[in-house]
Amino acid sequence: MEMEVRSLAQIVEYHIKSCPARSSCMEQSGCSPPHIQHGPCPRGARNVSGLAYHALRLSLTAHLSLSSTLQVDTLTTGSPQTRARLRSTLRDPGRRCPARILMTPPVRSVNTAGDAPSADQASLLAPSRGRDGRSLSSTATSVMPGSRSQASYATTNAAPGSFSSQLRPVASYDSRLKPDFDTHAIIVGDDSNTTTEERQADLQDAIEKETKIKTGSENLLEALNVKNAKKDQRLEVERQLNLSNNKLSRLKAVLAAEIQKAKDVKSPPADAQSRLSFLFRRNLSRSPSRHVAKKEEDEEEETESPTFVLAEILQALEADGMQPEYYVNKTNSLVELFKRHPTLKYDLAWSIFGLRMQTMLLSASREVVAAAYRVMRYAITDRKSLQIIRGLHTDYIVILSLVKESKASVEREQALKFVRAFLDVKNGVDEISRSVVRIIVAIAEHTDDRLRNIAVLTLAELLVKKPALLVSAGGMGTLTDALGEGNYLAAKSVCGSFLYLLDTPRRRKYLKSGHELEAPFAMFSDAGISAHGHAHEEKKLRQNADVIASLIRSWPGLLSLCMNDFLPIRSLLISLQIPAPHVRTIILELLSDILMIKAPSWSSSFLAGRRLTTYGRVTNLNNQPNKNAAAPTNAEDTTNKWNLLEHYVAVVLAGFLHAGLVPALLRAEEEPLTLALKRRTTLLLGEVLKMANELLPPSWSASLQVLPQLLQSAAKWGTEDRFVAIGTIYQVDSVNRTLYRSGPTSIHTSKTSAGNEPNTAVRQTDQSKAQAAMQMDEGQFRNLMLDTQVLNTVSFTKWRWDLIQNIIDGPLLNAKRLDEAMKATKFVHRMLGFYRPFKYRFSEIKNTKPNQRYVRAGCALIRTLLQNPEGVRYLSDSKFIRQVAECLSHFDRMSGLTSESPMFQVDRMNETLTGGYFALLGELTKDPKGVQILERWRFFNMFYHIIELNERDDLIRTLLNNMDYSLDGHLRIIISKAMTSCSKEVRMFSTRLLRKYATRPMQNAESAGGVAEWAIKLLVTQLYDPEIEVCEVAIKILEETCNQTHSLEFVVKCRPALDHLGEIGAPLLLRFLSTSVGYHYLDELDYITREMDDWFLGRNDTYVTLIEASLARAFAELTDKPQPQLPHEEVPEHAESGIVPPHFYRELTRTKEGCKLLEQKGHFDEFVATIRDFAMEDDDAEIILKVKGCLWAVGNVGSMDLGAPFLEKSDVIRWIVRIAETSEVMTLRGTAFYVLGLISRSLHGQEIVLEYGWDGVVNDSGESMGFCLPLEFNNLFSIRPWSVKSGGMSWNRKAETKIAVTDPDPVNARILKLATDLGNTVLAKKAATDLQAIKVKKAPGFSRAIVFHKVMQILEAHHFRLPACRFVLDLFDKRVLRQIVLEEEDENDDEDDSSTSDSDSEENEEGTNGVATSS
């Protein structure tokens, strides 16, 4: 026996060291190799400790179950020596591992009362999964210390869903039921200290980082290809790109495995640390047998009355002395019942339900208390239910839960959620007590508290819903700190609460003259002296910079910051002089963000130190064609679109210039900290000068452009500053010239009207270069072809594709050179051979951004061949066309051809350039000769059949996207078929494709066969699609099409019926009003009169909400990350943010018939009367909304030339100017400001506005730009200062709360006095020591309810830190709360209460009971 045990221990040690699964086995058994004991053992394994013996048996069993697998793995992946030894062992059975002999008898589990399956039986069962996700043998699962098996007849040896013929009851280590809790994070995996959510987040961060590396590598590779870099450089970048692709695929695989691993977790962790994470579980995985049972129970419950089920659960909660898991399971069932039957909570018997909740809230178990909070949240219905809940003394219980330490995190979190539920009920905020808000303020001030962020957010919501409550609880300072300290990441939400209060005078009284908004500026003034390092300070500065940008992008914020002669803005500009590079960099970036400056494409090169002349011309050439392409579609847009952001940027720029922006930038230019900062400052200065010239009136911009400060310095002879000034002037001038060549670099459009001249010059330059290339002689052409390496090798990776592109676009356009390339050399032959599908060259290239150059070169080659008859013949007879047709025929059910791996299958389309073949075919569809080639090879027949494929939407979209529909023929029929018979996604996609055709200029009116006419007809047909989303896409495109008068008239001639679309079709109908034809068409439908009454009675107010939401969305999009540019067919259909939406009265005023109707109805006079009567309204929200609606109506009418008589007949502009300069409602001022800009768009309106002291901006042609500013600029920002009013805010604590700081018992009076001193920073430490000494003496006051009441009153009246609140409340006995909640106060407390009330009244008469706040 001794020898057997010794050999057994040696075998275990050997397999622990050699078995790859040893870590899993040891983790599951809870031991490590040192626990295994060696040596003689005369009585078997008795000298082996229980834990080590379990590990020994577990290791052997795991080895047995995995032995065959390990042998196979070793034979395939092991070293040659190991494989040889294993083969010899397999050939000689006597040499096999002795574990096979020793472990022949079945091993009994230490947990089972009966026999467990043998090892051979266990190997047939699917392995279970442990906490770390590894597969374990069945026996290993049975001896896991954390096994949850109860006396169940389901075998523990089998995986979920399997079963055994030997169904025997199995005991467990732990007889307790595990809680069926809701979970926030399931802990799985190898590291028990991290959750699966954390690991998934880490993996996603790694994927995002690797994606950026991949994108950078692609961009660098494309740049190297353009610059003809060395081969080794390209190979290195390609290697890095391949590494990034491989790493990305591995990371995505690991992430998918991690997600699957989280789904496979079947039991909560047994350790105490992770137990809290399983509270309040939503979907915790269980074994299938339990799922089936649960499903059957649910079905049974559904057949019963929910009221009966509710009564059963409440009756079950009456049981006393049960485990916490019992109560939590019942409450989870109750919550699920409330979710399934939302109306059930309206019939609750609160006398019974409330008592059950009180009992649970008084439980010693944190999980039970948290479960009670959760149930009560779901039981809330209205304010009356909140009053009933507060009648259960929940305020005290919530306070005691919130002050607990962080280990009670689940209870504290549920308590805070319970309080937040009050905010979701109408007028529920009135039921939140000040004492609870005091504790939330204390949590928000405690920087290390896990609930701090949600507490700050709760206070921000309270500031909006009931600011008086928050101010009386001392929370304003906490929110101000969160706004300016830079640590709270959601500071913008707090910023929104302050801006809401600033808008009207009634809400503004809670703020100290708006100085709260200056908190974010303070950190910039103190920057550069932080002891935490630049990285920590830079993070806070950037956070505050985002807050400042949000403040300035609202009228309340802008007007508040411009008070006191722009003091906060001046302090920010002065901070540019701080000698810290990171501070200046952040401020310069902030200024660019505030002024909404889009960095030009060459800015990164300029900041890196390159000369402007080396790339400015290239940038100019690259940018101009795009602008030229878009010019025809926007020819008549000027009267239909007006960007509010442009006008707002104008006033912000004027404000910063008034505060000294240019002098501050010049000082920063004269004292540059680094060369990069000097260049950044120069670039920003050039942008500011350009914007001032285009957005501001001449009276503003004229004096700025000459930079008088620099000129004075440059004129001072004999000083060194003169050279600095001259250099600065030169740099700014150079940047300015480059900016004007590069086009607009901000959101505003150019002020100059000669925008087409550079485009003409660019086109002439391109034509001259192409003509020069075509005239290339034979020798030069041959040398150029040899330089491409196409004639020297068939390996396309060695070809110089930049030279190939130049040859295709230049010399090959000459018929003689093309003939030479086709017949005398193999240049064209090899080029087309490269694109042949069955050569597997082009079709196997990875689909990356740099590799798109192969597609571009192929399109250019086909385009060039189609321009020559010989090229057309060569292309038609080439194997390239034939093979592409054969590949497409595999998807044509009528062709009879099939393939095991077709060329255009999904994975190849996604991963390779196979989809580029459709781009090559698309080039053929642009030319009639190319269409003949496609007809010859039956391509259109295959296109018709591909459109009918049900499961290949990706192939259909690629086909439709790359074709050209300018020529009348089969393709137009194909896309019309796709728009009517394919899936909804394809119909929407094909409808978007028509946008670029429908927005083209119309042809002659008598010829209705143009491409624009065809597209408009198809779009009108799409208005009757059964899917409303498709109709909405068509509406948006038609609305854009109507920007052109001829297109609009053609759409009206199509007479579309839009009644079935409701509000979706309203914008298009409004556009019909702008022409006489459309007016008469709508008048026949009786649309105008009905719509006019609708707008007059309510739609004006809705328009205000719409335009303010559009403006808010535009500001929000500016702060988000820039989205990649999408092709025209994938652009979202929602209206452009910041653009003035179509207004009924503006469209009505475009025609004489509409003006006549408006005058007959008298609506304009009604609008003017409303503005005149309620111009100075500053309190009633409905009246303010009505005034805003009237302002927008008047502004839209006045923006039209035909609206001038309406403005002349009334003095409405005088009232609008008065609102813009003197109104106390800040958003109303902003509305008046926008309306004045809208009126100034018409020539007559601009003249009237100028009479009232507002100057407008015109372009070089004298046309109004729609921007105007007051000549007396300070009038726009003249806000009357306000003072904080204490009336109505309950500052007098005597009148609201009776605070008893005295007591007949001197010990109790001492307790109350010391509790008050805890709020004093100086006396807090001594008070805590004295209170602890009284507690040690077991003073009866800490067990009296009356003393507890008085302490709670003190906590409500004073400002205390969270540890102080926790300390003083922990001094009381636990039974005190039970006495209060269950109303079990004894008679002594009642007597003390009466005597104390008498003494309190005496103290109040003497005036000694007032307690000043210490907040």
Side-chain angles (χ1 to χ4, degrees):
M1 189 65 180
E2 178 180 352
M3 295 299 296
E4 289 179 358
V5 173
R6 180 182 291 112
S7 61
L8 185 65
Q10 292 172 352
I11 292 168
V12 170
E13 185 175 10
Y14 167 76
H15 286 297
I16 287 177
K17 294 179 178 179
S18 61
C19 178
R22 70 176 190 268
S23 60
S24 173
C25 300
M26 288 188 292
E27 283 179 13
Q28 299 301 333
S29 62
C31 71
S32 55
H35 292 125
I36 301 177
Q37 300 183 5
H38 302 272
C41 182
R43 298 293 302 276
R46 290 186 180 180
N47 280 354
V48 182
S49 66
L51 190 60
Y53 184 64
H54 297 165
L56 180 145
R57 293 177 57 255
L58 177 59
S59 301
L60 288 175
T61 308
H63 174 73
L64 280 178
S65 62
L66 298 174
S67 58
S68 58
T69 305
L70 294 178
Q71 290 170 1
V72 174
D73 291 343
T74 307
L75 282 172
T76 56
T77 62
S79 63
Q81 295 81 1
T82 306
R83 292 201 299 268
R85 287 199 300 268
L86 184 56
R87 288 193 185 96
S88 63
T89 303
L90 293 176
R91 294 192 192 99
D92 186 3
R95 295 180 57 189
R96 293 187 183 182
C97 177
R100 178 76 67 179
I101 304 172
L102 288 172
M103 296 304 295
T104 301
V107 180
R108 289 190 305 132
S109 171
V110 297
N111 290 343
T112 59
D115 296 334
S118 64
D120 294 333
Q121 291 172 332
S123 64
L124 298 175
L125 300 175
S128 302
R129 284 191 180 273
R131 280 184 52 209
D132 58 351
R134 295 190 179 96
S135 298
L136 303 175
S137 65
S138 57
T139 313
T141 307
S142 68
V143 298
M144 286 178 62
S147 177
R148 297 183 62 218
S149 303
Q150 306 301 325
S152 170
Y153 285 95
T155 175
T156 59
N157 302 64
S162 59
F163 61 91
S164 172
S165 59
Q166 301 177 359
L167 294 176
R168 301 168 185 256
V170 180
S172 171
Y173 278 109
D174 192 358
S175 62
R176 296 183 306 166
L177 284 171
K178 291 296 179 182
D180 186 16
F181 289 158
D182 213 349
T183 182
H184 296 288
I186 300 177
I187 297 182
V188 296
D190 300 333
D191 187 3
S192 60
N193 295 325
T194 60
T195 63
T196 182
E197 286 84 357
E198 292 172 350
R199 288 196 296 277
Q200 289 179 25
D202 294 339
L203 287 170
Q204 289 171 349
D205 291 342
I207 289 175
E208 183 178 357
K209 179 180 179 182
E210 202 61 37
T211 303
K212 293 179 180 178
I213 295 176
K214 175 188 172 184
T215 305
S217 300
E218 291 177 347
N219 294 335
L220 180 58
L221 186 59
E222 187 173 10
L224 292 176
N225 291 331
V226 172
K227 295 181 179 180
N228 301 328
K230 295 181 180 178
K231 180 180 178 181
D232 55 348
Q233 291 179 339
R234 288 201 302 269
L235 291 177
E236 177 62 25
V237 177
E238 289 175 355
R239 185 185 67 82
Q240 182 61 41
L241 183 59
N242 292 333
L243 289 176
S244 298
N245 289 328
N246 295 335
K247 190 171 181 180
L248 269 177
S249 61
R250 289 198 302 270
L251 287 172
K252 290 178 180 177
V254 173
L255 179 61
E258 185 66 41
I259 295 174
Q260 184 62 35
K261 188 188 297 182
K263 294 179 180 177
D264 291 342
V265 176
K266 294 182 288 298
S267 62
D271 58 309
Q273 176 204 355
S274 58
R275 185 166 178 261
L276 291 179
S277 67
F278 276 79
L279 288 172
F280 309 108
R281 179 187 51 77
R282 290 183 177 85
N283 292 310
L284 186 62
S285 302
R286 296 177 178 171
S287 63
S289 60
R290 294 185 64 182
H291 273 299
V292 173
K294 177 73 174 176
K295 185 176 180 181
E296 292 175 354
E297 291 175 4
D298 291 344
E299 291 177 355
E300 291 177 2
E301 289 180 0
E302 291 298 332
T303 59
E304 298 177 352
S305 169
T307 308
F308 179 74
V309 177
L310 174 63
E312 276 190 338
I313 296 176
L314 292 180
Q315 186 176 2
L317 289 175
E318 291 184 12
D320 294 331
M322 304 297 290
Q323 293 289 336
E325 291 80 6
Y326 171 83
Y327 298 104
V328 175
N329 286 330
K330 293 299 179 183
T331 53
N332 283 341
S333 302
L334 191 55
V335 169
E336 293 299 325
L337 185 66
F338 285 149
K339 288 181 178 179
R340 290 197 303 270
H341 306 282
T343 59
L344 186 62
K345 57 187 176 183
Y346 292 93
D347 302 326
L348 279 178
W350 280 95
S351 58
I352 301 174
F353 180 78
L355 182 60
R356 301 292 179 272
M357 293 300 104
Q358 282 180 318
T359 306
M360 293 183 65
L361 289 172
L362 293 173
S363 173
S365 171
R366 305 188 193 109
E367 293 84 357
V368 175
V369 177
Y373 283 129
R374 184 167 180 248
V375 172
M376 292 174 67
R377 269 197 296 126
Y378 282 93
I380 294 175
T381 55
D382 51 14
R383 185 176 179 183
K384 185 177 180 181
S385 65
L386 295 179
Q387 293 171 350
I388 296 174
I389 289 174
R390 289 195 66 196
L392 303 176
H393 303 282
T394 53
D395 287 352
Y396 285 175
I397 302 175
V398 167
I399 291 173
L400 287 172
S401 295
L402 290 176
V403 300
K404 289 185 178 179
E405 295 180 353
S406 57
K407 60 183 179 181
S409 59
V410 177
E411 177 184 345
R412 300 179 70 233
E413 181 177 336
Q414 290 298 325
L416 191 52
K417 285 184 177 180
F418 172 69
V419 175
R420 288 180 56 81
F422 283 46
L423 299 174
D424 298 331
V425 179
K426 184 179 180 181
N427 298 326
V429 68
D430 296 329
E431 299 301 325
I432 300 179
S433 66
R434 189 174 64 185
S435 57
V436 173
V437 180
R438 283 279 190 189
I439 300 301
I440 297 177
V441 171
I443 294 174
E445 291 178 347
H446 199 58
T447 55
D448 298 332
D449 200 298
R450 195 175 68 89
L451 299 180
R452 178 178 182 267
N453 289 341
I454 190 66
V456 173
L457 185 60
T458 305
L459 295 179
E461 294 182 27
L462 280 173
L463 183 60
V464 172
K465 297 201 171 191
K466 194 174 182 181
L469 175 62
L470 182 73
V471 172
S472 64
M476 191 63 72
T478 305
L479 287 182
T480 304
D481 293 340
L483 187 67
E485 66 183 3
N487 289 326
Y488 182 59
L489 298 181
K492 291 183 181 179
S493 59
V494 180
C495 170
S497 300
F498 280 110
L499 294 176
Y500 172 77
L501 257 63
L502 275 170
D503 191 20
T504 62
R506 183 172 56 86
R507 297 194 296 261
R508 206 179 297 155
K509 65 183 181 181
Y510 297 106
L511 301 177
K512 298 178 181 179
S513 301
H515 291 300
E516 289 84 356
L517 299 187
E518 299 176 7
F521 293 86
M523 184 163 289
F524 285 94
S525 302
D526 300 335
I529 57 175
S530 175
H532 299 286
H534 289 338
H536 180 73
E537 185 182 56
E538 184 176 354
K539 180 180 178 181
K540 289 187 175 183
L541 288 175
R542 291 192 181 277
Q543 182 72 25
N544 281 11
D546 291 340
V547 174
I548 292 173
S550 299
L551 290 174
I552 293 179
R553 285 172 183 163
S554 68
W555 279 104
L558 179 63
L559 293 176
S560 301
L561 295 177
C562 292
M563 292 175 60
N564 302 320
D565 197 21
F566 302 83
L567 182 61
I569 296 178
R570 291 181 187 276
S571 70
L572 180 67
L573 297 177
I574 292 175
S575 300
L576 278 172
Q577 302 179 24
I578 296 177
H582 67 284
V583 178
R584 184 173 296 184
T585 301
I586 294 174
I587 295 178
L588 292 176
E589 292 175 355
L590 173 60
L591 292 174
S592 299
D593 188 23
I594 290 173
L595 299 177
M596 303 175 198
I597 296 173
K598 183 179 66 175
S601 57
W602 46 266
S603 61
S604 57
S605 301
F606 173 69
L607 296 177
R610 294 178 58 190
R611 295 176 59 193
L612 286 172
T613 54
T614 59
Y615 51 86
R617 190 177 303 109
V618 176
T619 303
N620 187 27
L621 296 179
N622 289 338
N623 287 348
Q624 292 295 346
N626 294 333
K627 295 194 300 178
N628 183 40
T633 62
N634 296 330
E636 300 184 26
D637 260 1
T638 53
T639 60
N640 296 324
K641 289 187 178 182
W642 181 59
N643 198 330
L644 295 176
L645 292 183
E646 298 177 1
H647 200 189
Y648 193 77
V649 169
V651 71
V652 171
L653 176 62
F656 272 83
L657 290 175
H658 187 79
L661 174 61
V662 172
L665 291 177
L666 290 177
R667 281 194 296 269
E669 180 83 17
E670 293 172 358
E671 301 174 0
L673 302 178
T674 63
L675 186 59
L677 277 177
K678 179 179 176 61
R679 287 176 166 268
R680 186 184 294 274
T681 308
T682 303
L683 182 60
L684 179 59
L685 185 58
E687 294 276 10
V688 168
L689 295 177
K690 181 185 176 186
M691 290 178 63
N693 180 48
E694 296 184 345
L695 295 181
L696 301 182
S699 57
W700 277 83
S701 60
S703 59
L704 289 176
Q705 302 300 326
V706 296
L707 297 176
Q709 183 177 349
L710 280 182
L711 285 178
Q712 291 177 2
S713 299
K716 294 180 180 178
W717 300 90
T719 61
E720 295 184 0
D721 294 341
R722 172 175 175 270
F723 301 103
V724 176
I726 292 175
T728 303
I729 292 175
Y730 171 76
Q731 286 288 342
V732 171
D733 180 62
S734 178
V735 167
N736 242 331
R737 282 186 279 109
T738 309
L739 284 173
Y740 277 98
R741 286 201 307 268
S742 302
T745 56
S746 63
I747 62 168
H748 54 273
T749 55
S750 177
K751 185 177 181 179
T752 58
S753 59
N756 293 329
E757 295 179 1
N759 300 335
T760 305
V762 171
R763 289 197 300 270
Q764 293 175 353
T765 303
D766 290 340
Q767 292 174 0
S768 60
K769 286 186 177 181
Q771 291 175 356
M774 290 174 61
Q775 302 302 323
M776 185 179 298
D777 59 25
E778 183 177 352
Q780 291 177 333
F781 180 62
R782 285 183 177 274
N783 292 335
L784 192 58
M785 282 196 299
L786 288 174
D787 292 341
T788 62
Q789 303 298 320
V790 175
L791 303 179
N792 299 335
T793 177
V794 295
S795 176
F796 69 92
T797 57
K798 297 180 181 179
W799 295 353
R800 295 188 59 182
W801 286 92
D802 54 334
L803 295 181
I804 291 174
Q805 187 74 40
N806 293 336
I807 287 180
I808 294 173
D809 293 336
L812 288 188
L813 295 175
N814 188 330
K816 185 176 181 180
R817 299 289 167 256
L818 179 61
D819 186 71
E820 181 181 351
M822 288 190 300
K823 297 178 180 179
T825 66
K826 292 185 177 181
F827 183 83
V828 177
H829 174 75
R830 285 189 175 176
M831 287 296 300
L832 284 179
F834 164 71
Y835 290 101
R836 281 163 55 184
F838 298 144
K839 289 275 190 178
Y840 294 104
R841 296 177 182 174
F842 174 78
S843 58
E844 292 295 322
I845 298 176
K846 292 294 182 182
N847 185 14
T848 61
K849 184 178 178 181
N851 289 342
Q852 294 300 317
R853 58 177 176 161
Y854 302 120
V855 181
R856 292 193 294 269
C859 293
L861 178 62
I862 291 178
R863 193 163 51 244
T864 299
L865 291 175
L866 290 176
Q867 295 184 18
N868 187 287
E870 291 297 326
V872 172
R873 190 177 301 109
Y874 188 90
L875 183 62
S876 178
D877 297 335
S878 67
K879 293 182 180 179
F880 162 71
I881 298 292
R882 196 181 315 159
Q883 291 183 6
V884 174
E886 182 179 347
C887 293
L888 281 175
S889 66
H890 296 156
F891 295 90
D892 182 2
R893 68 179 189 279
M894 306 296 293
S895 67
L897 299 178
T898 58
S899 174
E900 295 183 357
S901 59
M903 180 66 64
F904 297 105
Q905 57 189 357
V906 179
D907 54 345
R908 293 179 62 88
M909 291 280 289
N910 293 333
E911 298 175 3
T912 66
L913 291 181
T914 306
Y917 283 113
F918 290 99
L920 302 180
L921 295 177
E923 288 295 328
L924 292 173
T925 62
K926 296 178 181 179
D927 191 283
K929 297 184 287 293
V931 173
Q932 292 176 3
I933 295 175
L934 296 177
E935 289 177 346
R936 174 189 175 188
W937 292 102
R938 304 291 189 271
F939 274 91
F940 294 120
N941 294 350
M942 292 182 282
F943 289 168
Y944 279 114
H945 297 147
I946 288 175
I947 291 296
E948 298 173 356
L949 296 177
N950 293 328
E951 298 180 355
R952 287 305 306 272
D953 284 357
D954 61 318
L955 187 63
I956 297 174
R957 283 198 298 265
T958 306
L959 168 63
L960 295 175
N961 186 31
N962 287 281
M963 297 299 111
D964 185 85
Y965 305 97
S966 300
L967 301 177
D968 192 8
H970 288 284
L971 287 175
R972 292 189 178 182
I973 302 174
I974 288 172
I975 192 173
S976 63
K977 182 179 179 181
M979 293 171 66
T980 54
S981 62
C982 290
S983 63
K984 183 181 76 171
E985 289 73 18
V986 174
R987 298 205 305 274
M988 294 178 64
F989 181 83
S990 54
T991 305
R992 291 192 190 101
L993 287 175
L994 295 181
R995 176 179 174 270
K996 68 177 181 179
Y997 301 101
T999 54
R1000 290 182 181 178
M1002 295 282 289
Q1003 297 181 1
N1004 296 331
E1006 58 272 8
S1007 64
V1011 62
E1013 292 85 345
W1014 161 79
I1016 290 174
K1017 287 180 179 179
L1018 272 186
L1019 288 172
V1020 171
T1021 306
Q1022 288 300 92
L1023 297 178
Y1024 310 105
D1025 192 278
E1027 296 290 341
I1028 197 66
E1029 292 89 347
V1030 181
C1031 301
E1032 190 171 3
V1033 174
I1035 285 287
K1036 296 296 183 183
I1037 299 175
L1038 285 174
E1039 188 181 351
E1040 184 179 355
T1041 302
C1042 291
N1043 289 333
Q1044 303 178 45
T1045 305
H1046 294 299
S1047 299
L1048 173 59
E1049 292 177 353
F1050 187 81
V1051 173
V1052 175
K1053 287 180 182 179
C1054 295
R1055 302 181 69 86
L1058 302 175
D1059 294 341
H1060 64 289
L1061 296 178
E1063 291 295 325
I1064 296 178
L1068 184 58
L1069 290 175
L1070 286 181
R1071 301 306 300 271
F1072 288 0
L1073 284 174
S1074 59
T1075 62
S1076 296
V1077 177
Y1079 179 89
H1080 292 297
Y1081 169 65
L1082 295 178
D1083 194 25
E1084 293 175 4
L1085 301 176
D1086 196 25
Y1087 167 81
I1088 298 178
T1089 304
R1090 290 185 286 107
E1091 191 72 6
M1092 194 171 188
D1093 294 338
D1094 190 16
W1095 275 80
F1096 182 74
L1097 296 176
R1099 291 282 291 279
N1100 261 338
D1101 301 341
T1102 308
Y1103 184 85
V1104 175
T1105 307
L1106 175 65
I1107 198 168
E1108 290 183 354
S1110 174
L1111 191 59
R1113 191 186 310 115
F1115 283 132
E1117 290 174 354
L1118 289 172
T1119 58
D1120 294 340
K1121 293 181 179 179
Q1123 299 296 325
Q1125 293 294 328
L1126 299 175
H1128 58 85
E1129 65 275 359
E1130 298 180 9
V1131 174
E1133 287 76 30
H1134 63 76
E1136 295 181 70
S1137 301
I1139 302 295
V1140 177
H1143 196 284
F1144 176 81
Y1145 290 101
R1146 180 176 64 187
E1147 305 302 325
L1148 191 66
T1149 319
R1150 289 180 185 272
T1151 60
K1152 294 181 179 179
E1153 296 89 345
C1155 292
K1156 184 177 180 181
L1157 179 64
L1158 180 59
E1159 187 175 3
Q1160 291 175 355
K1161 287 283 187 177
H1163 288 184
F1164 189 85
D1165 296 334
E1166 292 290 339
F1167 297 148
V1168 173
T1170 302
I1171 294 173
R1172 185 187 301 113
D1173 295 340
F1174 302 103
M1176 295 297 107
E1177 177 63 40
D1178 59 5
D1179 189 26
D1180 193 324
E1182 292 185 4
I1183 294 179
I1184 293 174
L1185 181 64
K1186 194 75 175 176
V1187 173
K1188 288 181 180 179
C1190 295
L1191 285 172
W1192 282 114
V1194 170
N1196 279 282
V1197 171
S1199 64
M1200 296 290 103
D1201 291 333
L1202 294 179
F1206 294 98
L1207 297 178
E1208 288 181 348
K1209 293 177 183 179
S1210 64
D1211 58 347
V1212 64
I1213 293 184
R1214 179 169 65 87
W1215 288 98
I1216 296 175
V1217 170
R1218 184 176 177 184
I1219 292 174
E1221 295 182 352
T1222 62
S1223 176
E1224 291 296 318
V1225 182
M1226 295 184 179
T1227 53
L1228 190 58
R1229 276 197 180 197
T1231 302
F1233 176 78
Y1234 289 134
V1235 168
L1236 288 173
L1238 196 57
I1239 292 175
S1240 69
R1241 288 180 65 83
S1242 66
L1243 182 61
H1244 194 77
Q1246 189 172 14
E1247 293 175 356
I1248 300 177
V1249 167
L1250 185 60
E1251 293 177 3
Y1252 289 96
W1254 284 61
D1255 194 7
V1257 182
V1258 296
N1259 60 14
D1260 295 345
S1261 301
E1263 300 172 351
S1264 173
M1265 301 288 292
F1267 314 135
C1268 62
L1269 291 172
L1271 297 176
E1272 295 293 334
F1273 187 67
N1274 287 330
N1275 291 346
L1276 185 61
F1277 301 100
S1278 59
I1279 295 290
R1280 186 170 66 244
W1282 64 91
S1283 58
V1284 180
K1285 298 180 181 179
S1286 60
M1289 289 200 300
S1290 304
W1291 288 99
N1292 188 359
R1293 302 286 166 49
K1294 297 181 188 178
E1296 183 176 301
T1297 306
K1298 182 175 68 173
I1299 305 172
V1301 295
T1302 60
D1303 194 276
D1305 189 341
V1307 178
N1308 292 346
R1310 177 66 174 164
I1311 291 174
L1312 296 176
K1313 179 64 171 63
L1314 293 175
T1316 306
D1317 291 343
L1318 286 176
N1320 190 319
T1321 307
V1322 178
L1323 304 176
K1325 186 174 181 180
K1326 184 177 183 302
T1329 305
D1330 294 345
L1331 283 172
Q1332 190 64 40
I1334 296 175
K1335 174 66 176 177
V1336 171
K1337 295 178 181 178
K1338 297 182 179 180
F1342 290 121
S1343 59
R1344 305 291 295 276
I1346 185 62
V1347 179
F1348 184 84
H1349 281 299
K1350 293 178 179 179
V1351 170
M1352 294 301 292
Q1353 290 177 359
I1354 292 174
L1355 293 181
E1356 179 181 359
H1358 292 263
H1359 175 72
F1360 290 88
R1361 297 290 182 184
L1362 186 62
C1365 298
R1366 182 187 306 129
F1367 172 78
V1368 70
L1369 292 177
D1370 285 346
L1371 294 174
F1372 287 87
D1373 294 341
K1374 302 301 180 184
R1375 59 186 178 87
V1376 175
L1377 183 63
R1378 186 177 188 86
Q1379 292 175 4
I1380 295 174
V1381 173
L1382 300 180
E1383 298 179 354
E1384 298 175 352
E1385 287 97 335
D1386 54 17
E1387 297 179 357
N1388 294 332
D1389 285 345
D1390 295 338
E1391 295 175 0
D1392 292 344
D1393 193 7
S1394 61
S1395 62
T1396 304
S1397 62
D1398 295 339
S1399 62
D1400 287 344
S1401 61
E1402 295 175 0
E1403 292 289 343
N1404 284 332
E1405 291 175 1
E1406 296 176 3
T1408 58
N1409 193 30
V1411 180
T1413 180
S1414 60
S1415 49

